[in-house]
Amino acid sequence: TMVFPMLLMAWIGSRLSRQTGTGFYLLSVVMGISTAFLAFFWGVVNHGYRKQMRKQEEKERNLQYREYLEKMREYLQRCEQENRRILEQRYPPAATFLGGQKGAALVAWDRYYRQPDFLFLRMGVGKMDFQINVKLSGGAKRIVPDKLSQMAVETVREFQVLENVPDGVDFFKVRQLGILGEIGDRKTREILFQLLIQLAACHCYTEVKLVCFYRKEILSHRKLAEGIKWLQHSWSSDGKLRFLAGDEREAARIIPVLQQALEKGAEEEKPVRPWYLVLIFCEELIQGEVLYRYLTDPDEKYPVSTIFIQKRREELPKSCRYYLKVQGEVQELIVYGEEQLGRK
C-alpha cells in the first residue's frame, strides 16, 4: 500500500522540481489520493477474501458434521440390530421351545433367581426404550434452527425407541395381572399357553412353582389343568402335593400348604425361592381365605405373583393395577399408576 505512493511521489517530484510555485502542495495531494485509493482497493479485496474463506470453512464444517451424523446413525443402527438380535435370542417366542418339526422340546432352565429378568415372560412383540441414551450435546443457540440442527434432532428422535422387539411382563414387578377374557377364548388360551411354555422351559421347578384354582365341571378349565399337571412345577417342594384345585375339597388341601409357604417366604431376605405363580380361574375357591389376602396384598411382601382371568375389569380385585386387554390380534397391557395411566 505504501510502496506505490512513494514511487509515484518520486516520479512526480522529479517532474515538478524543474518548475516553481505550488509543486510541493500538488505532490502532497497526489500522494494522499493515491494512498487512500490503494487502501480502499486492498480493503475491498481483503473483505472479499475473508468472506470467501468463511463460506469455504462453513461448507467444510457442514460436510464434516453431515459425515459425523451419518456415521453416528450407522453406528446406532448396528446397535439397534444387535440389541434386537440379543433380545430375540434371550426371549424367544413360545413356539421355539417346542422344537418345531424335530419334535424335541427345548428345556433351557437358564433363568437364575438372582438375575434381574428372572420372572420376565414374553407376551409378544412391541416397543421399548432404546438402551443407548441418545441426546444433543448442547442447547440450541438460535431462535430458528438451521438444517444441521434439524438433522441432529431427527437423529435423536429416530433412536429414542426400539421397535418390534420382544416385550412382556416382569412378574416380580407386576405381582397381579388381570387377563380380560375367558378360558374358552382362543386368544386367552394362547396367552396362557405362551406363559406356561416359557415357565416350563426357562425356570427350574425348584425355583418356580405353579398353582392353579379352576372348576372341574368347566371343560375349558379341565383341559388346561390336564396340561398343567404334567409340569414338574405343579408339585410341592416335598413332592407330596400337586398344586391343582378343581373343587372345594382339593382347595382345602392346597390352601394351608401354600399359605404357610408364603408366610415363610415373607420373613426371608429377597430374592426368595421358590417363587409361586398362581393362576386363578375361579376366585370362589379362595375368597374369604387368608391366602386370598396374601395374593392381593398391595405391599408385595410375599413371594407370589397372581394371574386373574375375568371378563370385565370391574370383576378384578381392586389391588390389581395391571391388566391385559385383547383386541383381535393385538394385546394391550394397561397400567393404572398412582398419577397416570400407562399403555403398551
Side-chain angles (χ1 to χ4, degrees):
T1 302
M2 297 303 298
V3 172
F4 290 102
M6 292 174 64
L7 294 176
L8 182 61
M9 181 184 65
W11 179 76
I12 295 175
S14 64
R15 297 294 300 271
L16 296 178
S17 61
R18 302 172 186 175
Q19 303 177 5
T20 59
T22 60
F24 175 77
Y25 299 102
L26 180 60
L27 177 63
S28 300
V29 171
V30 171
M31 185 181 66
I33 294 175
S34 301
T35 303
F37 172 76
L38 290 175
F40 175 77
F41 171 77
W42 287 115
V44 172
V45 171
N46 290 335
H47 176 73
Y49 176 77
R50 288 194 298 268
K51 186 177 180 181
Q52 185 66 25
M53 288 300 297
R54 284 197 297 267
K55 287 183 179 180
Q56 187 66 25
E57 292 175 356
E58 183 70 12
K59 183 179 179 180
E60 184 68 22
R61 186 182 70 87
N62 290 351
L63 181 61
Q64 292 178 357
Y65 193 66
R66 287 176 186 272
E67 292 178 353
Y68 163 76
L69 288 178
E70 190 61 32
K71 291 181 180 179
M72 183 59 66
R73 181 178 284 105
E74 293 176 358
Y75 166 74
L76 293 173
Q77 286 176 345
R78 291 196 300 270
C79 293
E80 237 184 13
Q81 296 172 359
E82 180 68 10
N83 290 358
R84 187 176 288 107
R85 183 191 65 81
I86 293 174
L87 289 171
E88 283 288 348
Q89 184 178 8
R90 183 156 184 79
Y91 309 115
T96 304
F97 299 109
L98 298 180
Q101 298 179 353
K102 298 180 180 179
L106 174 64
V107 178
W109 285 359
D110 57 349
R111 301 290 176 82
Y112 183 54
Y113 76 103
R114 291 189 181 275
Q115 294 173 336
D117 60 346
F118 172 58
L119 292 173
F120 178 86
L121 297 179
R122 172 172 173 159
M123 305 290 289
V125 293
K127 57 185 179 180
M128 63 185 299
D129 293 336
F130 191 34
Q131 295 89 340
I132 299 178
N133 184 18
V134 184
K135 60 181 181 179
L136 297 176
S137 60
K141 298 181 180 179
R142 300 182 181 181
I143 298 177
V144 179
D146 56 12
K147 292 183 179 180
L148 292 179
S149 299
Q150 292 178 353
M151 289 179 59
V153 171
E154 291 174 0
T155 302
V156 171
R157 291 175 180 173
E158 181 181 354
F159 295 99
Q160 291 294 312
V161 177
L162 197 60
E163 301 278 355
N164 298 321
V165 293
D167 201 355
V169 176
D170 187 345
F171 281 96
F172 184 77
K173 299 177 181 177
V174 181
R175 300 297 183 90
Q176 300 171 46
L177 174 66
I179 299 179
L180 301 182
E182 296 181 350
I183 303 299
D185 294 339
R186 178 185 62 86
K187 198 61 183 178
T188 304
R189 292 199 308 270
E190 289 179 356
I191 294 172
L192 293 173
F193 175 78
Q194 182 167 240
L195 293 176
L196 295 176
I197 288 295
Q198 291 180 81
L199 179 71
C202 299
H203 300 82
C204 180
Y205 61 89
T206 60
E207 297 187 345
V208 177
K209 298 295 182 182
L210 185 62
V211 186
C212 183
F213 293 93
Y214 66 101
R215 278 293 182 186
K216 285 183 177 180
E217 60 271 18
I218 301 178
L219 179 60
S220 58
H221 287 205
R222 189 168 65 251
K223 284 186 174 182
L224 189 59
E226 288 175 355
I228 293 177
K229 76 176 183 179
W230 294 104
L231 298 178
Q232 294 173 299
H233 305 71
S234 63
W235 286 96
S236 60
S237 298
D238 56 10
K240 297 180 179 179
L241 181 65
R242 195 192 301 272
F243 288 129
L244 291 175
D247 54 30
E248 287 77 4
R249 181 176 58 84
E250 294 179 350
R253 293 202 306 265
I254 292 176
I255 289 176
V257 177
L258 183 57
Q259 179 179 325
Q260 183 179 5
L262 296 182
E263 291 173 349
K264 180 181 178 182
E267 299 174 355
E268 298 179 4
E269 296 183 0
K270 301 295 186 298
V272 179
R273 61 175 179 173
W275 194 271
Y276 293 86
L277 181 63
V278 181
L279 304 177
I280 299 181
F281 306 151
C282 179
E283 279 190 67
E284 290 79 5
L285 294 178
I286 60 173
Q287 279 184 338
E289 301 286 345
V290 177
L291 176 63
Y292 186 79
R293 180 163 55 86
Y294 292 170
L295 299 180
T296 57
D297 178 45
D299 295 332
E300 303 177 351
K301 62 181 179 179
Y302 299 100
V304 61
S305 302
T306 310
I307 298 178
F308 298 90
I309 308 278
Q310 293 291 354
K311 295 181 181 179
R312 297 184 301 273
R313 189 178 67 86
E314 292 75 13
E315 298 175 352
L316 296 172
K318 294 182 179 180
S319 58
C320 183
R321 310 300 294 176
Y322 296 79
Y323 67 91
L324 191 68
K325 187 177 181 181
V326 180
Q327 298 175 336
E329 295 300 319
V330 179
Q331 305 170 41
E332 184 179 25
L333 182 64
I334 302 176
V335 182
Y336 278 93
E338 296 180 356
E339 299 180 356
Q340 60 183 357
L341 176 68
R343 298 174 182 269
K344 69 174 181 176

